[in-house]
Amino acid sequence: MSIKDQEREEVTIRFAGDSGDGMQLTGLLFTNTTALLGNDLRTLPEFPAEIRAPAGTVPGVSSFQLHFGSKEIMTPGDDCDVLVAMNSAALKANLALLRKGGVIIVNTAGFDKKNLNLAKYDENPLENNSLADYTVFEVDVTKFTKESLKGMDLSYKDEERSKNMFVLGLLYWMYNRPLDSTIDFLEGKFAKKPTIAEANIKVLKAGYHFGETAEVFTSRFTIKEAALEPGTYRSTVGNDATVLGLVAAARQSNLPLFLGSYPITPASDVLHGLSKYKHFGITTFQAEDEIAAVSSAIGAAFGGSLGVTSSSGPGVVLKGEAIGLAVMLELPLVVLNIQRAGPSTGMPTKIEQSDLMQAVYGRNGESPVAIVAPRSPADCFDMAFEACRISLEHMIPVMYLSDGYLANGSEPWKYPQTSDLKKIDVRFEQPRNGEDEPFLPYLRDDRHVRTWAIPGTAGIEHRVGGLEKEDGTGNISYEAENHQKMVKLRKAKRDKIADFIPLQDVDQGNEKGEIAILGWGSTYGAIRTAVFALRKEGHDVSHIHLRYISPFPRNLETLLNNFEHVIVPELNDGQLVRLIRDQYLIPARAINKIKGSPFGVEELKQEILRTIETETLA
């Protein structure tokens, strides 16, 4: 049988199976190989919300979606072209995400009576014609895995764990991917268990050769390199880029970095990642709870370290009082909030931009903090660095708003050199020996910023605590006029940051026109792609994307007033849109999605068109 070699511009693959089927590793290895071949890509891993969901059930399904191509790729894809389903629950949970006419590769061993019952199928979907709209390839992955491992002294569990490599090998064959980098990975990962390494490599090659010899598949696909900007790239996920941004900021400020954290999905990988950089002066502390975590970071800042704490929305709630303390003390503190769906425990593994209002207002009293938000996994590096720079140079807590999509998603990253990084200017109060004038810890410069007074420095003893400070001296004060003055000063200090951040630019389109689509955070890729399509169709639409949210860039109001209508897509029930209406009195319109998943490009495009039609008729 002859096999056609077809060229494709882009492809979206979704690997799905039980939590123990290794779909995350399969997707990650395919991603790394694809990145090495020069394709542009975006990924979306999805994890079960339940820690130990019963095997074979829909709640226990884990998946990994990869969108790659020879053109600019900004999202993990809307509908996938290929769905790999390791069992019947994986098919049931993900079939709606496969385009009509798409390819399904099923492990038939996962469609026995037991698995069908666990997935709550009344009939076997492989036998009742319900998949007629798709091209289905039935492969007994479990059987072929075991056959390829005959003669090896392996346990049943080790054989089962190898079957994801068969699927990976098969997909490598289908999409003309080499095996070399994956073999190198397996040999390194299992260097102390050579039998396990050999087993996985055998199964990987068996899957590849099955594609060559089984006479089941009629086509192979080639995706050429993307026209990326020249340079050296690596594949990165958002949490890893965040870690490196923090390390770079510590080096550029010449300060030790202290992270006080408590594990929580999807922020835990920041704690894990930073713990590997002790040789760069990084200290990580896994506290007993969220309050202890943030308090330890404030203590580290008081002692002259770059203090950082990480969590997600539920943990940031608990940190609220201590963040207010950092506001009152006017100490640098970086709060990493890797957002997830709420409220309360919510949906721990699902995506939402639900904590913007919490970041702006979520403390007692008038407690202004600065807020930044990365727009892509690679941008997590830049905005983590910026969060540290702003915090250190302006002596203010900074909230960094990433989310589960950015934290776990990946893309090619043209990483910077040290020479490309900004210098971070840290101003410590100098020792005072025998001077007549008393030290004034809250004496401010023209940015309303006080100097950093480190305990133990001669002659600068001063009072600290959460009670209101007297202007200049820092003594406790209950005087009404002083309280109002200090509240206004802390706000003025936050607002003055706008003079030290970039002006807002237009990502696509003109600086004046009919429609501005205003976004923030992880909606960037979907908005950019949807606006590109709308502009090709002749619509007067521009895209503006915020990375600095508190304070807003100085020119944002002028920029937004250049447009007849402003539309704000968000993965929440309307938070940035309220801030825009409140601060600028612009009647912005909202597009909201609160389903634990990112916007699809076509979905967002149609919502924008409907909103444009509504605005035009209004």
Side-chain angles (χ1 to χ4, degrees), residues 32-43:
N32 290 343
T33 297
T34 295
L36 287 170
L37 291 178
N39 296 134
D40 200 4
L41 61 90
R42 294 293 187 277
T43 68

Side-chain angles (χ1 to χ4, degrees), residues 332-365:
L333 174 70
V334 175
V335 182
L336 308 174
N337 182 351
I338 318 300
Q339 300 166 95
R340 70 191 205 190
S344 187
T345 310
M347 298 192 293
T349 62
K350 302 304 179 183
I351 300 157
E352 217 164 85
Q353 294 179 297
S354 54
D355 297 343
L356 180 55
M357 287 297 191
Q358 179 193 50
V360 176
Y361 299 119
R363 294 160 297 284
N364 64 298

Side-chain angles (χ1 to χ4, degrees), residues 437-449:
E437 294 294 324
F439 169 58
L440 298 176
Y442 286 83
L443 188 66
R444 302 170 188 278
D445 63 14
D446 58 0
R447 301 169 300 149
H448 310 296
V449 177

Side-chain angles (χ1 to χ4, degrees), residues 20-93:
D21 286 336
M23 293 296 95
Q24 300 302 325
L25 178 61
T26 306
L28 181 61
L29 291 172
F30 195 100
T31 298
N32 290 343
T33 297
T34 295
L36 287 170
L37 291 178
N39 296 134
D40 200 4
L41 61 90
R42 294 293 187 277
T43 68
L44 179 63
E46 291 198 86
F47 309 93
E50 298 179 30
I51 295 174
R52 295 176 186 267
T57 65
V58 171
V61 172
S62 176
S63 63
F64 189 105
Q65 185 160 309
L66 165 68
H67 183 197
F68 63 103
S70 57
K71 64 174 191 176
E72 180 183 73
I73 302 293
M74 297 301 299
T75 75
D78 288 6
D79 298 332
C80 52
D81 301 295
V82 179
L83 171 63
V84 175
M86 296 297 284
N87 61 15
S88 47
L91 179 67
K92 190 169 193 177

